[in-house]
Amino acid sequence: MTTSPATSEDIADLATGTLFGALEDPALNSMNFLNEVAIHYPDAIPLAAGRPSEEFFDLEDVHRYLRIFSRHLSRHLTEEQVRRTVLQYGRTKGIIHELIAENLRLDEDITVDPESVVVTAGCQEAMFLVLRALRADERDVLLAVSPTYVGLTGAARLVDLPVRPVRTGENGIDLEDLVAVIRRERAAGRRPRACYVVPDFANPSGLSLDLSTRQRLLEVAAAEDVLLIEDNPYGLFHGDADRVPTLKALDADRRVVYLGSFAKSVLPGARVGYLVADQRVSGADGTIGLFADQLSKIKSMLTVNTSPIAQAVVGGKLLAHGCRLAGATDRERKLYDRNLRHLVTGLADRFPPGSDVTWTAPTGGFFVVVTVPFVADDLLLERSARDFGVLWTPMGHFYDDTSGIRALRLSCSVVPVEQIDRGLDRLAALVNDVRSLGEDDDPSRPIGR
């Protein structure tokens, strides 16, 4: 029996309308779009990327940390067991959970049972696991301080969990608005499950919560019976300012699910993050276990386990520094602080007082938000990259309503100071060019929210 070759009419093409609805959501395309712009214009100065500096990357460190971790295992395991632990499929919740718990105790004054730690394939997976577990049915909603990290918004889309914005306010979160949103959602028959917050140098705003605000946020969460999802990728990079305790360190009622990452503090290429979920969960059979155990069930069907080799590299770095990363990242902290100060000073040099360009001045982290007198959208970003040779991130990517946002995010983490200067010169040229063309003089357009 013979078959005729396939014709174009026989090819099984698909339409997004027949696939998962969120695939047409702009949030799911944000990271891909921004990466594609950077790849398409490789000579543009990257003031968009929130990546860690590559100045201290060393391939030999990978091998050294692997050896350190293997020697650590060999104190209790045979050579065959060491090989199996590092090279074979591994424990779903991870193999460096005890080291992470010790690191949290030493660096963050957080005391948790290592069994409440789940090691994840980057912090992005940690977000997904928590949101997937909290989304029980169509009544459930998530709250998030707006503007919000696009990775959180995208993860929520993937699990069909609507995100309700909470105003930032002067102190990093408007607690009155948080209460109002919670009560409004409940009055509409919905169930607010948690509020996502980045208390230290948030992406994208760069804002932080002071101690009083953190304490009051915990009180509101308890009074309104919602969880807090605390994301802390930038807490170690606090410039010269004193560190403020994390929400989890202040959490006496297991109200906080804590998300952590080693992308900025160890190696982004390792793709190792983690979560701490020490909440108690009652089973249908009357048993009581950890929320972490429930999340590990989801992980087992998603990524099976986090690469043991990658975990070993992170574990080796932790062991090499006595499980303290605060001191081990001191050179990075100083570099980011120098770059951040240079960026803010450079903006002031190019846009003097009274200018229609303003910006935030964070005390740490990677990001500065610049408000401009025109809409800073994806089309303008492409023009900026093509004609002016500088990349930045449109702030519209961090809002549900992306239209008309007159603000952009600059990142200072991956570029040296001389490139920061050149990038700011090019940004100033773009601003002056848009002004001179009068492309956006509609006073009804909203300014950065």
Side-chain angles (χ1 to χ4, degrees), residues 91-168:
R91 179 177 178 270
T92 299
K93 287 169 69 175
I95 61 173
I96 60 171
H97 53 302
E98 293 178 342
L99 297 178
I100 291 173
E102 181 66 0
N103 167 246
L104 289 171
R105 185 183 71 83
L106 295 172
D107 275 352
E108 308 293 352
D109 197 25
I110 297 172
T111 301
V112 293
D113 182 346
E115 288 301 319
S116 68
V117 176
V118 179
V119 188
T120 56
C123 191
Q124 192 67 28
E125 186 190 24
M127 291 181 193
F128 181 88
L129 297 179
V130 174
L131 300 188
R132 176 62 277 176
L134 292 178
R135 201 283 188 189
D137 59 44
E138 67 279 357
R139 293 173 295 167
D140 295 319
V141 295
L142 174 70
L143 313 181
V145 179
S146 182
T148 305
Y149 170 53
V150 69
L152 182 279
T153 307
R157 298 287 194 273
L158 290 178
V159 301
D160 284 332
L161 184 61
V163 179
R164 303 292 190 244
V166 174
R167 286 198 297 265
T168 298

Side-chain angles (χ1 to χ4, degrees), residues 60-76:
E60 178 51 36
D61 283 344
V62 175
H63 303 288
R64 182 164 64 91
Y65 294 145
L66 276 171
R67 289 192 293 269
I68 291 171
F69 186 75
S70 297
R71 285 198 297 269
H72 169 73
L73 292 179
S74 67
R75 293 163 46 198
H76 307 289

Side-chain angles (χ1 to χ4, degrees), residues 36-244:
E36 287 297 321
V37 173
I39 292 169
H40 198 63
Y41 300 99
D43 295 328
I45 294 175
L47 296 182
R51 299 174 296 175
S53 171
E54 298 174 8
E55 181 173 334
F56 306 115
F57 284 4
D58 188 342
L59 282 172
E60 178 51 36
D61 283 344
V62 175
H63 303 288
R64 182 164 64 91
Y65 294 145
L66 276 171
R67 289 192 293 269
I68 291 171
F69 186 75
S70 297
R71 285 198 297 269
H72 169 73
L73 292 179
S74 67
R75 293 163 46 198
H76 307 289
L77 302 177
T78 66
E79 183 178 343
E80 179 184 2
Q81 290 171 324
V82 170
R83 284 200 309 271
R84 182 177 300 122
T85 300
V86 176
L87 302 178
Q88 184 56 276
Y89 288 114
R91 179 177 178 270
T92 299
K93 287 169 69 175
I95 61 173
I96 60 171
H97 53 302
E98 293 178 342
L99 297 178
I100 291 173
E102 181 66 0
N103 167 246
L104 289 171
R105 185 183 71 83
L106 295 172
D107 275 352
E108 308 293 352
D109 197 25
I110 297 172
T111 301
V112 293
D113 182 346
E115 288 301 319
S116 68
V117 176
V118 179
V119 188
T120 56
C123 191
Q124 192 67 28
E125 186 190 24
M127 291 181 193
F128 181 88
L129 297 179
V130 174
L131 300 188
R132 176 62 277 176
L134 292 178
R135 201 283 188 189
D137 59 44
E138 67 279 357
R139 293 173 295 167
D140 295 319
V141 295
L142 174 70
L143 313 181
V145 179
S146 182
T148 305
Y149 170 53
V150 69
L152 182 279
T153 307
R157 298 287 194 273
L158 290 178
V159 301
D160 284 332
L161 184 61
V163 179
R164 303 292 190 244
V166 174
R167 286 198 297 265
T168 298
E170 295 181 0
N171 298 313
I173 182 172
D174 185 329
L175 295 175
E176 290 185 1
D177 189 53
L178 172 61
V179 172
V181 173
I182 291 171
R183 294 180 179 177
R184 184 177 68 236
E185 292 299 312
R186 285 186 174 142
R190 290 183 283 270
R191 187 166 50 192
R193 301 305 306 269
C195 180
Y196 171 83
V197 60
V198 185
D200 294 286
F201 320 116
N203 179 10
S205 71
L207 297 177
S208 299
L209 309 185
D210 61 24
L211 179 59
S212 174
T213 301
R214 294 176 194 226
Q215 292 169 331
R216 288 187 292 125
L217 174 57
L218 286 165
E219 292 169 1
V220 168
E224 298 296 331
D225 192 23
V226 296
L227 292 173
L228 298 175
I229 301 173
E230 178 180 20
D231 191 4
N232 187 24
Y234 309 105
L236 292 176
F237 308 117
H238 53 93
D240 288 335
D242 292 334
R243 295 190 67 195
V244 181

